[in-house]
Amino acid sequence: MGTYGRQIYAAGQAKELLRDLLGQAVHRTHVTPGRSAISVARHRFDAHVADHAHLPELVTLAEAAGC
């Protein structure tokens, strides 16, 4: 996998981590997720973005997500 392949892979991972974080929202069943689950999901996303801060697209994604 070349440089571009690694960048695309990192972006795909960030997308999935953000989906996990956003999936912690209250569902139609009105079940509120635990604060620890939300904290863990946010930490995973933030850590991934920090590890790949050299990719401006991920930094922009994190800023747009409000993280």
Side-chain angles (χ1 to χ4, degrees):
M1 184 177 341
T3 301
Y4 295 117
R6 286 190 295 275
Q7 290 176 355
I8 292 169
Y9 183 72
Q13 285 179 314
K15 176 196 66 118
E16 291 303 319
L17 291 169
L18 182 58
R19 287 182 65 180
D20 289 344
L21 175 58
L22 295 175
Q24 297 295 324
V26 177
H27 298 289
R28 286 182 228 170
T29 58
H30 303 289
V31 175
T32 305
R35 292 180 67 106
S36 63
I38 295 169
S39 178
V40 167
R42 183 169 180 171
H43 175 73
R44 284 184 191 149
F45 177 73
D46 288 342
H48 181 75
V49 171
D51 289 344
H52 296 89
H54 61 281
L55 300 174
E57 294 85 359
L58 294 187
V59 174
T60 302
L61 178 64
E63 290 171 353
C67 293

